[in-house]
Amino acid sequence: MARKKIEYNFDYDSKFLNEHNVKKLASNLTHDASNSEKILDCLFTAEVTDEQIAEATGIKLNFVRKILYKMFDAGIANYTRKKDPETQWFTYYWKFDSRKAAKILEKEYEKYNNEIKESIEFEENNMFFVCPNGCRYPFDEATEYRFMCPKCNEKLEFQDNSEIIENLKNLESLYTVNE
């Protein structure tokens, strides 16, 4: 059965809020890409209950709740609680929080870019030596070990890391920025 294409409209303006980023974020938070995507599609249509999501997606109710709680813990989903006057039971209505998602995406984007920048600086500012089995040491450690691998007891050889530096410079973020 083909699913209807859901229009992702955000109530908060951010260069990081787009369908790709939101789905990737939800997948990373829940570790369940296909189910989190289906649940997000429901959260974008209206304020919905967990039972309505389970019915619409065909996902078991306990899995829906598990994913919703993970999204809630991260802050990208919120709920309002309403009490039924007849049964006195609470019903939870869930919705997507664009503002919090944008902040998380921005933080993740910056963290990723900083890690890449630090890795490039580390590679550019160090000489490396490797053994035939792939153990890798910066110059300072290699001299401490007298250019013998402490794990393999093999001779350490100089490694040209220019390709590693180039690959790091060409890495792209998992998240895309809106133009």
Side-chain angles (χ1 to χ4, degrees):
M1 178 172 90
R3 286 191 334 199
K4 187 175 98 177
K5 177 74 174 145
I6 302 298
E7 185 72 30
Y8 279 64
N9 294 316
F10 302 100
D11 60 357
Y12 181 72
D13 188 31
S14 167
K15 65 182 181 178
F16 295 102
L17 280 176
N18 59 54
E19 184 176 348
H20 169 268
N21 289 352
V22 169
K23 287 181 178 180
K24 188 70 177 166
L25 176 63
S27 173
N28 290 342
L29 292 172
T30 64
H31 307 290
D32 188 343
S34 65
N35 287 335
S36 62
E37 183 177 328
K38 291 174 188 174
I39 291 170
L40 273 176
D41 286 348
C42 291
L43 295 177
F44 273 97
T45 57
E47 198 174 53
V48 291
T49 66
D50 47 4
E51 290 92 358
Q52 290 170 326
I53 294 171
E55 187 178 316
T57 61
I59 303 170
K60 290 183 178 182
L61 183 59
N62 60 333
F63 288 122
V64 169
R65 287 179 176 155
K66 182 179 175 183
I67 290 172
L68 285 171
Y69 290 132
K70 284 182 179 181
M71 290 180 179
F72 174 78
D73 287 343
I76 66 169
N78 286 318
Y79 64 83
T80 54
R81 188 174 78 159
K82 297 178 183 169
K83 192 174 193 177
D84 185 315
E86 290 179 23
T87 64
Q88 300 297 309
W89 286 63
F90 287 105
T91 303
Y92 294 83
Y93 292 89
W94 293 86
K95 65 180 180 175
F96 179 76
D97 188 338
S98 297
R99 183 179 304 268
K100 181 71 175 195
K103 290 177 182 178
I104 293 170
L105 286 166
E106 185 175 344
K107 191 185 274 185
E108 288 290 316
Y109 185 83
E110 292 301 319
K111 177 182 164 192
Y112 180 82
N113 286 342
N114 286 337
E115 287 173 0
I116 297 297
K117 183 180 173 186
E118 289 171 9
S119 295
I120 290 170
E121 287 176 12
F122 183 74
E123 290 291 330
E124 288 176 338
N125 295 326
N126 287 288
M127 270 194 310
F128 292 92
F129 292 83
V130 295
C131 75
N133 296 320
C135 300
R136 187 171 187 250
Y137 303 95
F139 178 76
D140 294 346
E141 282 185 54
T143 56
E144 285 178 27
Y145 301 133
R146 297 189 174 142
F147 297 94
M148 294 297 288
C149 180
K151 295 177 185 169
C152 313
N153 207 27
E154 297 282 341
K155 185 177 179 191
L156 295 174
E157 298 287 332
F158 173 75
Q159 179 192 39
D160 177 16
N161 64 345
S162 58
E163 188 175 330
I164 294 171
I165 294 169
E166 194 59 37
N167 288 339
L168 285 168
K169 287 180 179 179
N170 291 328
L171 279 178
E172 293 183 18
S173 176
L174 299 172
Y175 302 109
T176 59
V177 178
N178 301 337
E179 297 300 323

Coordinates of all heavy atoms in Angstrom, one line a residue, residues 12 14 16-17 25 76 97-110:
Y12 N 8.2 27.2 12.6 CA 9.3 27.9 13.1 C 10.3 28.0 12.0 O 10.5 27.0 11.3 CB 9.9 27.2 14.3 CG 11.1 27.8 14.9 CD1 11.0 29.0 15.7 CD2 12.4 27.3 14.7 CE1 12.1 29.6 16.3 CE2 13.5 27.9 15.3 CZ 13.3 29.1 16.1 OH 14.4 29.7 16.6
S14 N 13.9 28.1 10.4 CA 15.2 27.8 10.7 C 15.9 27.3 9.4 O 15.2 26.6 8.6 CB 15.3 26.7 11.8 OG 16.6 26.2 11.9
F16 N 17.8 24.9 9.3 CA 18.0 23.5 9.5 C 16.7 22.7 9.4 O 16.7 21.5 9.3 CB 18.7 23.2 10.8 CG 20.1 23.7 10.9 CD1 20.3 24.9 11.6 CD2 21.1 23.1 10.3 CE1 21.6 25.4 11.7 CE2 22.4 23.6 10.3 CZ 22.6 24.8 11.0
L17 N 15.6 23.3 9.4 CA 14.3 22.6 9.4 C 13.9 22.3 8.0 O 13.5 23.1 7.2 CB 13.2 23.4 10.1 CG 13.2 23.4 11.6 CD1 12.1 24.3 12.1 CD2 13.0 22.0 12.1
L25 N 17.1 13.2 12.1 CA 17.1 13.4 13.5 C 16.3 12.4 14.3 O 16.7 11.8 15.3 CB 16.7 14.8 13.9 CG 16.6 15.2 15.4 CD1 18.0 15.1 16.0 CD2 16.0 16.6 15.5
I76 N 11.6 16.8 20.7 CA 11.0 17.1 19.4 C 9.5 16.8 19.3 O 8.9 17.1 18.3 CB 11.8 16.5 18.3 CG1 11.7 14.9 18.3 CG2 13.3 16.9 18.3 CD1 12.2 14.3 17.0
D97 N 7.5 19.4 17.7 CA 7.9 20.7 18.2 C 9.1 21.2 17.3 O 10.2 20.8 17.4 CB 8.4 20.6 19.7 CG 8.8 21.9 20.3 OD1 9.0 22.9 19.6 OD2 8.8 22.0 21.6
S98 N 8.7 22.1 16.4 CA 9.7 22.6 15.4 C 10.8 23.4 16.0 O 11.9 23.3 15.6 CB 8.9 23.5 14.4 OG 8.0 22.8 13.6
R99 N 10.5 24.2 17.0 CA 11.5 25.1 17.6 C 12.6 24.3 18.3 O 13.7 24.5 18.1 CB 10.8 26.0 18.6 CG 11.7 27.0 19.3 CD 10.9 27.9 20.3 NE 9.8 28.6 19.6 CZ 9.9 29.8 19.1 NH1 11.0 30.5 19.1 NH2 8.9 30.4 18.5
K100 N 12.2 23.3 19.1 CA 13.1 22.4 19.8 C 13.9 21.6 18.7 O 15.2 21.4 18.9 CB 12.4 21.5 20.8 CG 13.4 20.7 21.5 CD 14.2 21.4 22.5 CE 15.0 20.5 23.4 NZ 15.6 21.0 24.5
A101 N 13.3 21.1 17.7 CA 14.0 20.3 16.7 C 15.0 21.2 16.0 O 16.1 20.7 15.7 CB 13.0 19.8 15.7
A102 N 14.7 22.4 15.7 CA 15.7 23.3 15.0 C 16.9 23.5 15.9 O 18.0 23.5 15.4 CB 15.0 24.6 14.7
K103 N 16.7 23.7 17.2 CA 17.8 23.9 18.1 C 18.7 22.7 18.2 O 19.9 22.8 18.2 CB 17.3 24.3 19.5 CG 16.7 25.7 19.5 CD 16.1 26.1 20.9 CE 15.5 27.5 20.8 NZ 14.9 27.9 22.1
I104 N 18.0 21.5 18.3 CA 18.8 20.3 18.3 C 19.6 20.1 17.0 O 20.8 19.7 17.1 CB 17.9 19.0 18.6 CG1 17.3 19.1 19.9 CG2 18.6 17.7 18.4 CD1 16.2 18.1 20.2
L105 N 19.0 20.3 15.9 CA 19.6 20.2 14.6 C 20.8 21.2 14.5 O 21.9 20.8 14.0 CB 18.7 20.4 13.5 CG 17.7 19.3 13.2 CD1 16.5 19.8 12.3 CD2 18.4 18.1 12.6
E106 N 20.6 22.4 14.9 CA 21.7 23.3 14.9 C 22.9 22.9 15.8 O 24.1 23.0 15.4 CB 21.2 24.7 15.4 CG 22.3 25.8 15.3 CD 21.7 27.2 15.6 OE1 20.5 27.3 15.7 OE2 22.5 28.1 15.9
K107 N 22.6 22.4 17.0 CA 23.6 21.9 17.9 C 24.4 20.7 17.3 O 25.6 20.6 17.3 CB 23.0 21.5 19.2 CG 24.0 21.3 20.3 CD 23.3 20.8 21.6 CE 22.8 21.9 22.4 NZ 22.3 21.5 23.7
E108 N 23.6 19.8 16.7 CA 24.2 18.6 16.1 C 25.1 19.0 14.9 O 26.2 18.4 14.7 CB 23.1 17.6 15.6 CG 22.4 16.9 16.7 CD 23.3 15.9 17.4 OE1 24.0 15.1 16.8 OE2 23.3 15.9 18.7
Y109 N 24.6 19.9 14.1 CA 25.4 20.4 12.9 C 26.7 21.0 13.4 O 27.8 20.7 12.8 CB 24.5 21.4 12.2 CG 25.2 21.9 10.9 CD1 25.0 21.1 9.7 CD2 25.8 23.1 10.8 CE1 25.6 21.6 8.5 CE2 26.4 23.6 9.6 CZ 26.3 22.8 8.5 OH 26.8 23.2 7.3
E110 N 26.6 21.9 14.4 CA 27.8 22.5 14.9 C 28.8 21.5 15.5 O 30.0 21.6 15.3 CB 27.5 23.6 15.9 CG 26.8 24.8 15.4 CD 27.6 25.5 14.3 OE1 28.8 25.7 14.5 OE2 27.0 25.9 13.3

